[in-house]
Short mmCIF file of all heavy atoms in Angstrom, two decimals:
data_model
loop_
_atom_site.label_atom_id
_atom_site.label_comp_id
_atom_site.label_asym_id
_atom_site.label_seq_id
_atom_site.Cartn_x
_atom_site.Cartn_y
_atom_site.Cartn_z
N GLU I 1 211.04 8.61 271.06
CA GLU I 1 211.61 7.93 272.22
C GLU I 1 210.67 7.99 273.42
O GLU I 1 210.57 7.04 274.20
CB GLU I 1 212.96 8.54 272.56
CG GLU I 1 214.09 8.07 271.67
CD GLU I 1 214.39 6.59 271.86
OE1 GLU I 1 215.06 6.23 272.86
OE2 GLU I 1 213.93 5.78 271.02
N ALA I 2 209.97 9.11 273.59
CA ALA I 2 209.00 9.21 274.69
C ALA I 2 207.86 8.22 274.49
O ALA I 2 207.39 7.58 275.44
CB ALA I 2 208.46 10.63 274.78
N ILE I 3 207.44 8.06 273.25
CA ILE I 3 206.38 7.10 272.94
C ILE I 3 206.88 5.68 273.17
O ILE I 3 206.19 4.84 273.77
CB ILE I 3 205.91 7.29 271.48
CG1 ILE I 3 205.23 8.66 271.32
CG2 ILE I 3 204.97 6.16 271.06
CD1 ILE I 3 204.99 9.06 269.88
N ARG I 4 208.10 5.40 272.71
CA ARG I 4 208.67 4.05 272.89
C ARG I 4 208.84 3.71 274.36
O ARG I 4 208.59 2.57 274.78
CB ARG I 4 210.01 3.96 272.15
CG ARG I 4 210.66 2.59 272.25
CD ARG I 4 211.66 2.33 271.15
NE ARG I 4 212.89 3.06 271.25
CZ ARG I 4 214.10 2.49 271.25
NH1 ARG I 4 214.22 1.17 271.20
NH2 ARG I 4 215.18 3.23 271.29
N ALA I 5 209.26 4.69 275.16
CA ALA I 5 209.49 4.45 276.59
C ALA I 5 208.21 4.05 277.31
O ALA I 5 208.26 3.36 278.33
CB ALA I 5 210.09 5.70 277.23
N ASP I 6 207.06 4.47 276.78
CA ASP I 6 205.78 4.12 277.39
C ASP I 6 205.20 2.81 276.86
O ASP I 6 204.07 2.46 277.19
CB ASP I 6 204.78 5.26 277.20
CG ASP I 6 205.03 6.42 278.15
OD1 ASP I 6 205.86 6.26 279.08
OD2 ASP I 6 204.39 7.49 277.99
N GLY I 7 205.97 2.13 276.02
CA GLY I 7 205.57 0.80 275.59
C GLY I 7 204.52 0.74 274.51
O GLY I 7 203.84 -0.29 274.36
N HIS I 8 204.37 1.79 273.73
CA HIS I 8 203.37 1.79 272.67
C HIS I 8 203.84 0.96 271.46
O HIS I 8 205.04 0.70 271.31
CB HIS I 8 203.07 3.22 272.24
CG HIS I 8 202.33 4.01 273.28
ND1 HIS I 8 201.07 3.68 273.71
CD2 HIS I 8 202.68 5.12 274.00
CE1 HIS I 8 200.66 4.54 274.63
NE2 HIS I 8 201.63 5.42 274.83
N PRO I 9 202.90 0.58 270.58
CA PRO I 9 203.26 -0.24 269.42
C PRO I 9 204.28 0.44 268.51
O PRO I 9 204.42 1.68 268.51
CB PRO I 9 201.92 -0.42 268.69
CG PRO I 9 200.88 -0.17 269.73
CD PRO I 9 201.46 0.84 270.67
N ARG I 10 204.96 -0.35 267.71
CA ARG I 10 206.01 0.18 266.84
C ARG I 10 205.47 1.20 265.85
O ARG I 10 206.12 2.19 265.54
CB ARG I 10 206.71 -0.98 266.11
CG ARG I 10 207.61 -1.79 267.03
CD ARG I 10 208.11 -3.06 266.37
NE ARG I 10 209.04 -2.83 265.27
CZ ARG I 10 210.35 -2.60 265.41
NH1 ARG I 10 210.89 -2.55 266.61
NH2 ARG I 10 211.13 -2.44 264.36
N TRP I 11 204.25 0.98 265.33
CA TRP I 11 203.70 1.96 264.40
C TRP I 11 203.46 3.31 265.07
O TRP I 11 203.58 4.36 264.45
CB TRP I 11 202.40 1.45 263.76
CG TRP I 11 201.26 1.20 264.72
CD1 TRP I 11 200.88 0.02 265.26
CD2 TRP I 11 200.37 2.19 265.27
NE1 TRP I 11 199.80 0.20 266.11
CE2 TRP I 11 199.47 1.52 266.14
CE3 TRP I 11 200.24 3.58 265.11
CZ2 TRP I 11 198.46 2.18 266.83
CZ3 TRP I 11 199.24 4.25 265.82
CH2 TRP I 11 198.36 3.55 266.67
N PHE I 12 203.13 3.28 266.37
CA PHE I 12 202.92 4.52 267.14
C PHE I 12 204.27 5.25 267.29
O PHE I 12 204.35 6.47 267.12
CB PHE I 12 202.34 4.15 268.50
CG PHE I 12 201.74 5.29 269.28
CD1 PHE I 12 200.80 5.02 270.28
CD2 PHE I 12 202.11 6.62 269.08
CE1 PHE I 12 200.24 6.05 271.04
CE2 PHE I 12 201.55 7.64 269.83
CZ PHE I 12 200.63 7.36 270.81
N VAL I 13 205.32 4.50 267.59
CA VAL I 13 206.66 5.09 267.70
C VAL I 13 207.05 5.73 266.37
O VAL I 13 207.55 6.86 266.34
CB VAL I 13 207.69 4.01 268.11
CG1 VAL I 13 209.10 4.61 268.16
CG2 VAL I 13 207.32 3.39 269.46
N LEU I 14 206.80 5.02 265.28
CA LEU I 14 207.14 5.55 263.96
C LEU I 14 206.33 6.80 263.64
O LEU I 14 206.86 7.76 263.04
CB LEU I 14 206.89 4.48 262.89
CG LEU I 14 207.25 4.86 261.46
CD1 LEU I 14 208.73 5.22 261.35
CD2 LEU I 14 206.89 3.73 260.50
N THR I 15 205.08 6.83 264.05
CA THR I 15 204.25 8.03 263.84
C THR I 15 204.89 9.23 264.53
O THR I 15 204.95 10.33 263.96
CB THR I 15 202.83 7.79 264.36
OG1 THR I 15 202.23 6.71 263.65
CG2 THR I 15 201.97 9.04 264.18
N GLY I 16 205.37 9.03 265.75
CA GLY I 16 206.05 10.12 266.44
C GLY I 16 207.30 10.57 265.72
O GLY I 16 207.61 11.77 265.69
N LEU I 17 208.00 9.63 265.10
CA LEU I 17 209.23 9.96 264.39
C LEU I 17 208.97 10.82 263.17
O LEU I 17 209.73 11.74 262.87
CB LEU I 17 209.96 8.68 263.98
CG LEU I 17 211.32 8.87 263.31
CD1 LEU I 17 212.35 9.34 264.32
CD2 LEU I 17 211.77 7.59 262.63
N VAL I 18 207.88 10.55 262.45
CA VAL I 18 207.66 11.22 261.16
C VAL I 18 206.67 12.37 261.22
O VAL I 18 206.50 13.09 260.23
CB VAL I 18 207.18 10.20 260.09
CG1 VAL I 18 208.15 9.04 259.98
CG2 VAL I 18 205.76 9.71 260.36
N HIS I 19 206.03 12.61 262.37
CA HIS I 19 204.82 13.44 262.38
C HIS I 19 205.02 14.87 261.87
O HIS I 19 204.08 15.48 261.38
CB HIS I 19 204.22 13.49 263.79
CG HIS I 19 204.97 14.37 264.75
ND1 HIS I 19 206.13 13.97 265.38
CD2 HIS I 19 204.71 15.63 265.19
CE1 HIS I 19 206.56 14.94 266.17
NE2 HIS I 19 205.72 15.96 266.07
N ASP I 20 206.23 15.40 261.96
CA ASP I 20 206.46 16.78 261.53
C ASP I 20 207.16 16.90 260.19
O ASP I 20 207.54 18.01 259.79
CB ASP I 20 207.29 17.53 262.59
CG ASP I 20 206.44 18.20 263.65
OD1 ASP I 20 205.21 18.31 263.45
OD2 ASP I 20 206.99 18.63 264.68
N LEU I 21 207.34 15.80 259.48
CA LEU I 21 208.11 15.87 258.23
C LEU I 21 207.44 16.75 257.18
O LEU I 21 208.11 17.23 256.27
CB LEU I 21 208.32 14.45 257.66
CG LEU I 21 209.34 13.58 258.41
CD1 LEU I 21 209.50 12.23 257.71
CD2 LEU I 21 210.69 14.28 258.53
N GLY I 22 206.14 16.98 257.32
CA GLY I 22 205.47 17.87 256.39
C GLY I 22 205.97 19.30 256.43
O GLY I 22 205.70 20.09 255.52
N LYS I 23 206.73 19.63 257.46
CA LYS I 23 207.30 20.98 257.55
C LYS I 23 208.33 21.26 256.46
O LYS I 23 208.78 22.39 256.31
CB LYS I 23 207.94 21.20 258.93
CG LYS I 23 206.92 21.29 260.06
CD LYS I 23 207.61 21.50 261.39
CE LYS I 23 206.61 21.58 262.54
NZ LYS I 23 207.28 21.74 263.85
N ILE I 24 208.68 20.24 255.69
CA ILE I 24 209.56 20.50 254.54
C ILE I 24 208.88 21.44 253.54
O ILE I 24 209.54 21.96 252.64
CB ILE I 24 210.02 19.21 253.84
CG1 ILE I 24 208.84 18.47 253.21
CG2 ILE I 24 210.78 18.32 254.80
CD1 ILE I 24 209.26 17.28 252.36
N LEU I 25 207.58 21.69 253.71
CA LEU I 25 206.92 22.71 252.89
C LEU I 25 207.65 24.05 252.97
O LEU I 25 207.68 24.81 251.99
CB LEU I 25 205.47 22.89 253.34
CG LEU I 25 204.48 21.79 252.97
CD1 LEU I 25 203.15 21.99 253.71
CD2 LEU I 25 204.24 21.75 251.46
N CYS I 26 208.24 24.34 254.14
CA CYS I 26 209.03 25.58 254.26
C CYS I 26 210.21 25.58 253.30
O CYS I 26 210.61 26.64 252.81
CB CYS I 26 209.53 25.75 255.69
SG CYS I 26 208.29 26.30 256.87
N LEU I 27 210.76 24.41 253.05
CA LEU I 27 211.90 24.30 252.13
C LEU I 27 211.46 24.36 250.67
O LEU I 27 212.29 24.44 249.77
CB LEU I 27 212.67 23.02 252.41
CG LEU I 27 213.27 22.95 253.82
CD1 LEU I 27 213.81 21.55 254.11
CD2 LEU I 27 214.37 23.99 254.00
N PHE I 28 210.15 24.31 250.45
CA PHE I 28 209.59 24.53 249.12
C PHE I 28 209.08 25.97 249.00
O PHE I 28 208.25 26.29 248.14
CB PHE I 28 208.44 23.55 248.85
CG PHE I 28 208.85 22.10 248.86
CD1 PHE I 28 207.97 21.12 249.30
CD2 PHE I 28 210.10 21.71 248.41
CE1 PHE I 28 208.33 19.78 249.30
CE2 PHE I 28 210.47 20.36 248.42
CZ PHE I 28 209.59 19.40 248.86
N ASP I 29 209.54 26.83 249.92
CA ASP I 29 209.25 28.27 249.91
C ASP I 29 207.83 28.64 250.27
O ASP I 29 207.34 29.73 249.91
CB ASP I 29 209.62 28.90 248.55
CG ASP I 29 211.11 28.84 248.28
OD1 ASP I 29 211.90 28.97 249.25
OD2 ASP I 29 211.49 28.65 247.11
N GLU I 30 207.15 27.76 251.00
CA GLU I 30 205.84 28.14 251.52
C GLU I 30 206.02 29.02 252.76
O GLU I 30 206.91 28.78 253.58
CB GLU I 30 205.03 26.90 251.89
CG GLU I 30 204.57 26.08 250.69
CD GLU I 30 203.62 26.84 249.79
OE1 GLU I 30 202.87 27.69 250.29
OE2 GLU I 30 203.64 26.58 248.58
N PRO I 31 205.17 30.04 252.93
CA PRO I 31 205.26 30.87 254.14
C PRO I 31 204.83 30.09 255.36
O PRO I 31 204.10 29.09 255.26
CB PRO I 31 204.28 32.01 253.84
CG PRO I 31 203.28 31.41 252.90
CD PRO I 31 204.07 30.46 252.03
N GLN I 32 205.25 30.53 256.53
CA GLN I 32 204.94 29.81 257.76
C GLN I 32 203.45 29.56 257.94
O GLN I 32 203.04 28.49 258.39
CB GLN I 32 205.48 30.58 258.97
CG GLN I 32 206.99 30.56 259.09
CD GLN I 32 207.46 31.49 260.21
OE1 GLN I 32 206.69 32.31 260.72
NE2 GLN I 32 208.73 31.36 260.58
N TRP I 33 202.62 30.54 257.59
CA TRP I 33 201.19 30.40 257.85
C TRP I 33 200.54 29.36 256.93
O TRP I 33 199.38 28.99 257.14
CB TRP I 33 200.46 31.75 257.72
CG TRP I 33 200.66 32.47 256.42
CD1 TRP I 33 201.55 33.48 256.17
CD2 TRP I 33 199.94 32.26 255.19
NE1 TRP I 33 201.43 33.89 254.85
CE2 TRP I 33 200.46 33.16 254.24
CE3 TRP I 33 198.91 31.39 254.82
CZ2 TRP I 33 199.98 33.22 252.93
CZ3 TRP I 33 198.44 31.43 253.51
CH2 TRP I 33 198.97 32.35 252.60
N ALA I 34 201.28 28.86 255.94
CA ALA I 34 200.79 27.77 255.09
C ALA I 34 201.49 26.46 255.43
O ALA I 34 201.42 25.50 254.65
CB ALA I 34 201.00 28.11 253.63
N VAL I 35 202.16 26.41 256.59
CA VAL I 35 202.90 25.23 256.99
C VAL I 35 202.51 24.77 258.39
O VAL I 35 202.24 23.58 258.62
CB VAL I 35 204.43 25.46 256.92
CG1 VAL I 35 205.20 24.21 257.37
CG2 VAL I 35 204.86 25.87 255.52
N VAL I 36 202.49 25.67 259.35
CA VAL I 36 202.21 25.31 260.74
C VAL I 36 201.02 26.11 261.27
O VAL I 36 200.43 26.91 260.55
CB VAL I 36 203.46 25.53 261.64
CG1 VAL I 36 204.59 24.61 261.21
CG2 VAL I 36 203.90 27.00 261.64
#
């Protein structure tokens, strides 16, 4: 929403929406130091 409010392209807004989804590695039992 912060990206959208500044008028950036839709792909940029979508990038902001998905950028942390890789943290699901924690749900695959990876330790924090192998995730973030």
Side-chain angles (χ1 to χ4, degrees):
E1 281 294 281
I3 294 168
R4 182 158 72 126
D6 283 351
H8 291 297
R10 287 171 68 83
W11 63 261
F12 195 158
V13 177
L14 182 60
T15 299
L17 184 71
V18 305
H19 75 281
D20 270 347
L21 287 182
K23 290 180 181 178
I24 65 173
L25 286 169
C26 284
L27 298 170
F28 298 147
D29 295 325
E30 290 296 329
Q32 289 173 347
W33 55 262
V35 179
V36 296

